[in-house]
Amino acid sequence: MTPPFCLLFDSDGTLVDSEILLAEVMGDILPAFGLPFSARQYLEEFRGVRFQTIIEALEERHGALAEGRFPTLEGEMRHLMERRMRAELLPIDGMPEALTTLGAHPKAVVSNGPARKIRCAMESSGLARHFGDKLYSAYTLNVWKPDPGLYLKAAEAMGQPPERCVVIDDAAVGVAAGLAAGMRVIHLNRFPDEETTPGGAVAIHHAGELPAAVARLATQETAHASL
């Protein structure tokens, strides 16, 4: 019998509804450091992108931060974000039930965020029990989506070949990383009027659709193997 797929989940916007919090935090902090920015700008342009990459893009448009200011900016952003997450963070609607239904599958969180942020997200949202210590951070593995290396390193750490992994990600950078890694990809596209799902990925619009989508991938694999 074929073992169940290994499920590799993004965190922000996929497992937890943190992106609006991050957008608001960045919209508050960045202008104080001389970088014009709004919460809407994050949601429309930078979802899932590494923080340093966002700052570099803004510096190209508006001028560089004063020398030595980036660590202070990042520290203040992380501190405020963690405080808001612990007070306000909720799981994505339908995700707790989906994870319970998918209980037989090995699972991991694979995020562009720091390890501390991933742990905080899982603890604050009540999802930690589904993943244990299987939390893989780009800051720890030193590779960031859309580079496929982050998902590939996480799969290796899980003892799984890429073809046995399914990536679940809401952001364009994560979907691109999963496809480039040679993995099956489910795009949790919660904003279908604004975003399109790339060819090769499976689109769902609500976490409640996830178990059925995973089951369809397993059925397709069985049918292909019997040809």
Side-chain angles (χ1 to χ4, degrees):
M1 183 176 179
T2 304
F5 289 123
C6 177
L7 307 181
L8 303 180
F9 288 83
D10 175 52
S11 179
D12 297 310
T14 299
L15 289 170
V16 295
D17 199 9
S18 55
E19 290 191 315
I20 186 59
L21 302 182
L22 179 57
E24 291 173 356
V25 166
M26 291 176 64
D28 288 341
I29 286 181
L30 295 187
F33 282 77
L35 296 175
F37 196 77
S38 68
R40 177 173 290 277
Q41 191 174 352
Y42 173 81
L43 295 170
E44 293 180 349
E45 187 176 357
F46 292 110
R47 286 195 314 110
V49 176
R50 180 186 182 188
F51 182 67
Q52 182 175 329
T53 302
I54 296 173
I55 299 306
E56 290 169 353
L58 295 176
E59 286 181 310
E60 288 184 6
R61 300 174 193 179
H62 305 295
L65 290 168
E67 187 173 353
R69 291 289 278 163
F70 178 77
T72 301
L73 166 58
E74 184 171 26
E76 290 189 15
M77 184 277 289
R78 300 285 181 205
H79 174 75
L80 182 55
M81 184 60 185
E82 181 168 327
R83 190 170 70 189
R84 290 200 61 180
M85 287 170 67
R86 293 200 181 278
E88 303 173 48
L89 188 63
L90 296 171
I92 290 292
D93 186 42
M95 189 56 75
E97 296 82 0
L99 290 171
T100 297
T101 300
L102 294 164
H105 292 262
K107 302 177 190 66
V109 183
V110 187
S111 171
N112 266 358
R116 178 177 176 131
K117 181 185 176 189
I118 302 171
R119 288 193 300 271
C120 177
M122 294 303 100
E123 293 166 2
S124 301
S125 64
L127 299 182
R129 65 186 181 87
H130 295 285
F131 299 98
D133 62 353
K134 307 302 184 185
L135 311 176
Y136 300 103
S137 164
Y139 285 80
T140 302
L141 298 177
N142 199 35
V143 59
W144 283 261
K145 308 171 196 176
D147 191 315
L150 180 58
Y151 275 124
L152 289 170
K153 287 187 175 184
E156 182 180 9
M158 293 288 288
Q160 301 283 347
E163 61 270 18
R164 295 302 309 157
C165 294
V166 178
V167 165
I168 301 96
D169 208 307
D170 73 302
V173 291
V175 172
L179 292 172
M183 300 175 180
R184 293 169 174 82
V185 177
I186 296 175
H187 178 205
L188 178 53
N189 184 354
R190 296 185 294 120
F191 308 101
D193 292 337
E194 302 169 16
E195 300 179 6
T196 58
T197 295
V202 175
I204 62 173
H205 305 304
H206 187 277
E209 302 171 50
L210 181 58
V214 173
R216 283 195 299 272
L217 291 175
T219 299
Q220 290 167 6
E221 180 186 55
T222 301
H224 181 76
S226 65
L227 293 178

